[in-house]
């Protein structure tokens, strides 16, 4: 049994998180299971193949904006993630959801009317983007192997069916082994893509365009769009929920996990972002708001041959990563409805509970896949989620908590206020740029477009 915790928690809320995250352990070793989940899930959450794509896509808005967004986002989210973790236990209470943290910083209404919609918007938007990524990667593999008939919409439908089947895994804890496999695949993915980019750069004269094109208005909006696209890659909007089941002392455990996470980001995200854009320039994005990841930027041609086997394998890894994170981003939203309608006194595989869980999860997957197939404009979707979902939770709320609850020394307070004001501006202009991009792209394409990978 776990040792008793001195902190007071909201029993109903904590019970829901425990049921979601831990569930019933077959081996009865609850302490070991919680420790594995806290480390593997937290680290796995931040390391995903899809997450690296926005970094190179963000660079396509220019070297200056890309480098600024990349490095500033890296260090600021490292700081703010540790701030969020430090407030898990505050004034004798445990705060296990983001909306709980918002309530102690800005009042109870903020948790329900500001943070909760932002977090759900982020989770839903991220799930849609993962389906787009999965469909595009699946189509890339299909095209590289000579396929011509299936469309992007059909690829997304196939991925949705796969996720519906895999979503029958009942709890987040049961996904820990998927995260561990995901973690291994990320390192393989990263260094294979970097190796392909370097190999093509050394042996072939690839056309590279680093210019930011368009009118002054397009360039201005493009800068802010690039910044909020970067924010998507750094999103960590489940820290309190994950920390609720971390090994005691939870604050120390989570802070160590955050340091581990950012060490791994240094080894994976940063090389793929810089080398990817350096190798392919504006080819990391394609028209229509979709994207052309740098590892797919050179489909084999007579003028630009590429190792087809490597491109196929890399895209299969991205496909696997996308499916893994579809499963993770399904759980927090469906948990709300499952907690409300499922019978706690019955087993998780009881017929009624199984039926309710299946209907809820399949309906949610169907909705996300439908939106992904209708509007597969990857870059614009990432920008919108980054602006309205990630920026408020990963930048604004932690900085507000730091200012109003921690009461830092003057120079730290001034720094926090400068960053807070800057990211409010970024959030507003980034959201406008994203919506503008979706409108412009939709005007050139029909619903359910068959975009090329």
């Amino acid at each position: 049994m776990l040792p008793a915790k001195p902190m007071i928690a909201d029993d109903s809320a904590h019970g829901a998180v425990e049921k979601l995250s831990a569930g019933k352990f077959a081996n009865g070793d609850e302490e070991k299971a919680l420790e594995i989940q806290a480390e593997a899930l937290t680290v796995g959450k931040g390391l995903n193949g899809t997450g690296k794509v926005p970094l190179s896509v963000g660079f396509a808005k220019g070297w200056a904006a890309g480098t600024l967004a990349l490095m500033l986002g890296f260090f600021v989210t490292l700081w703010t993630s540790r701030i969020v973790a430090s407030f898990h236990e505050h004034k004798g209470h445990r705060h296990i959801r983001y909306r709980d943290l918002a309530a102690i910083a800005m009042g109870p209404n903020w948790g329900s009317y500001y943070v909760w919609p932002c977090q759900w918007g982020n989770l839903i938007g991220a799930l849609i983007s993962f389906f787009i990524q999965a469909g595009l990667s699946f189509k890339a593999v299909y095209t590289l192997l000579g396929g011509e008939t299936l469309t992007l919409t059909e690829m997304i439908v196939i991925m949705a069916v796969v996720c519906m089947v895999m979503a029958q895994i009942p709890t987040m804890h049961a996904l820990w082994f998927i995260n561990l496999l995901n973690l291994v695949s990320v390192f393989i993915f990263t260094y294979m893509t970097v190796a392909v980019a370097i190999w093509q750069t050394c042996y072939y004269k690839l056309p590279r365009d680093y210019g930011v094109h368009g009118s002054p208005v397009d360039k201005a909006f493009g800068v802010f769009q690039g910044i909020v696209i970067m924010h998507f890659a750094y999103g960590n909007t489940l820290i309190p929920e994950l920390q609720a089941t971390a090994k005691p002392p939870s604050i120390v455990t989570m802070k160590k996990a955050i340091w581990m996470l950012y060490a791994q980001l240094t080894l994976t995200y940063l090389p793929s972002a810089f080398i990817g854009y350096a190798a392919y320039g504006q080819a990391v994005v394609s028209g229509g708001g979709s994207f052309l990841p740098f590892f797919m930027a050179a489909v084999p041609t007579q003028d630009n041959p590429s190792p087809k086997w490597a491109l196929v394998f890399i895209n299969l890894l991205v496909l696997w990563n996308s499916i893994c994170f579809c499963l993770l981003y399904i759980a927090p939203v469906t948990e709300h409805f499952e907690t409300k309608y499922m019978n706690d006194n019955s087993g998780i595989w009881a017929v009624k509970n199984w039926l309710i869980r299946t209907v809820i999860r399949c309906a949610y997957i169907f909705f996300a896949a439908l939106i992904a197939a209708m509007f597969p404009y990857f870059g614009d979707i990432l920008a919108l989620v980054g602006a309205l979902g990630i920026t408020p939770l990963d930048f604004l709320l932690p900085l507000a908590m730091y200012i109003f609850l921690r009461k830092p020394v003057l120079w730290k307070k001034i720094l926090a206020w400068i960053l807070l004001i800057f990211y409010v501006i970024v959030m507003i202009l980034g959201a406008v740029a994203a919506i503008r991009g979706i409108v412009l792209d939709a005007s050139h394409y029909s619903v359910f477009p068959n975009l090329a990978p």
Side-chain angles (χ1 to χ4, degrees):
M1 296 294 294
L2 291 173
K5 297 180 177 66
M7 294 294 174
I8 302 171
D10 179 344
D11 292 336
S12 61
H14 189 258
V17 173
E18 291 279 44
K19 181 170 67 175
L20 164 69
S21 303
K24 300 291 184 181
F25 302 115
N27 61 5
D29 190 354
E30 294 186 356
E31 185 171 5
K32 181 179 179 181
L34 293 177
E35 180 179 355
I36 291 174
Q37 184 209 340
E39 299 297 334
L41 187 56
T42 303
V43 173
K45 157 67 175 71
L47 291 172
N48 61 91
T50 307
K52 279 181 276 302
V53 172
L55 297 180
S56 287
V57 175
F59 264 116
K61 304 305 177 182
W63 273 115
T67 302
L68 172 64
L70 181 68
M71 301 313 299
L72 187 62
F74 182 94
F75 289 109
V76 171
T77 54
L78 171 60
W79 183 31
T80 57
S81 295
R82 289 173 57 81
I83 291 173
V84 171
S86 69
F87 279 101
H88 180 68
E89 298 172 355
H90 182 69
K91 294 185 177 180
H93 292 267
R94 298 179 69 220
H95 305 284
I96 61 174
R97 288 192 172 102
Y98 253 102
R99 57 180 178 266
D100 301 333
L101 296 176
I104 66 172
M106 296 175 286
N109 291 333
W110 281 88
S112 299
Y113 300 113
Y114 173 72
V115 171
W116 185 82
C118 283
Q119 191 173 29
W120 271 44
N122 166 56
L123 293 170
I124 295 171
L127 181 61
I128 292 171
S129 70
F130 287 134
F131 273 121
I132 298 173
Q133 168 72 86
L136 287 167
S137 297
F138 190 11
K139 187 173 182 182
V141 173
Y142 179 72
T143 303
L144 287 166
L145 295 180
E148 297 179 354
T149 57
L150 294 180
T151 65
L152 176 60
T153 298
E154 292 168 326
M155 298 294 184
I156 293 175
V157 169
I158 294 172
M159 290 298 98
V161 172
V162 171
C163 286
M164 286 180 184
V165 175
M166 295 186 68
Q168 298 310 306
I169 298 174
T171 64
M172 285 181 71
H173 167 73
L175 296 174
W176 70 267
F177 69 94
I178 292 180
N179 270 311
L180 294 180
L181 293 176
N182 193 20
L183 179 63
V184 173
S185 70
V186 163
F187 281 95
I188 299 174
F189 163 84
T190 297
Y191 293 109
M192 280 195 68
T193 56
V194 168
V196 169
I198 294 175
W199 180 80
Q200 291 180 339
T201 300
C202 293
Y203 287 91
Y204 302 101
K205 295 182 179 180
L206 303 179
R208 298 182 187 87
D209 178 11
Y210 301 114
V212 182
H213 306 290
S215 67
V217 174
D218 291 333
K219 293 179 180 180
F221 278 118
V223 168
F224 287 97
Q225 189 178 24
I227 293 175
V228 293
I229 285 174
M230 295 281 192
H231 288 180
F232 182 91
Y234 289 122
N236 265 318
T237 56
L238 292 175
I239 288 178
E241 287 82 353
L242 297 174
Q243 197 170 357
T245 54
K247 177 184 176 183
S250 60
I251 293 178
V252 175
T253 300
M254 186 55 67
K255 285 188 174 181
K256 288 181 179 179
I258 290 170
W259 278 117
M260 184 186 303
L261 169 63
Y262 277 80
Q264 292 166 339
L265 298 184
T266 303
L267 297 175
T268 56
Y269 275 43
L270 302 189
S272 62
F274 281 108
I275 295 175
Y277 188 62
Y280 300 114
Q282 289 292 330
V284 296
V285 291
S286 64
S290 179
F291 78 109
L292 197 60
F294 64 85
F295 47 84
M296 291 189 288
V299 176
T301 64
Q302 182 177 359
D303 297 328
N304 183 25
S306 304
K308 182 185 293 187
W309 67 268
L311 297 179
V312 170
F313 186 61
I314 288 169
N315 278 283
L316 288 174
L317 290 175
V318 176
L319 182 59
W320 164 249
N321 276 267
S322 300
I323 293 174
C324 291
F325 280 85
C326 281
L327 298 177
L328 286 178
Y329 275 78
I330 287 167
V333 174
T334 58
E335 175 266 342
H336 173 79
F337 298 100
E338 291 170 12
T339 302
K340 183 176 181 179
Y341 295 109
M342 289 172 62
N343 186 351
D344 293 343
N345 298 322
S346 302
I348 58 176
W349 291 111
V351 174
K352 181 180 178 181
N353 285 345
W354 173 81
L355 183 61
I356 291 173
R357 183 173 63 245
T358 300
V359 170
I360 290 173
R361 296 187 182 186
C362 288
Y364 181 39
I365 291 171
F366 173 81
F367 166 77
L370 176 64
I371 300 300
M374 291 176 65
F375 308 104
Y377 310 119
F378 191 75
D380 297 329
I381 294 295
L382 292 185
L384 189 61
V385 174
L388 298 181
I390 302 295
T391 305
L393 297 184
D394 274 12
F395 294 84
L396 303 185
L397 177 59
L399 290 170
M401 292 169 54
Y402 183 75
I403 292 170
F404 298 120
L405 298 180
R406 189 60 54 82
K407 300 186 185 302
V409 296
L410 182 60
W411 74 268
K412 290 184 178 180
K413 186 174 183 179
I414 293 174
L415 175 61
W417 270 112
I418 292 173
L419 290 173
L420 183 64
I421 294 171
F422 171 73
Y423 282 113
V424 167
I425 296 172
V426 167
M427 178 186 69
I428 295 172
L429 295 181
V432 172
I435 295 172
R436 175 178 178 269
I438 292 174
V439 172
L440 291 176
D441 291 332
S443 66
H444 294 91
Y445 292 87
S446 61
V447 178
F448 298 105
N450 184 28
L451 300 181

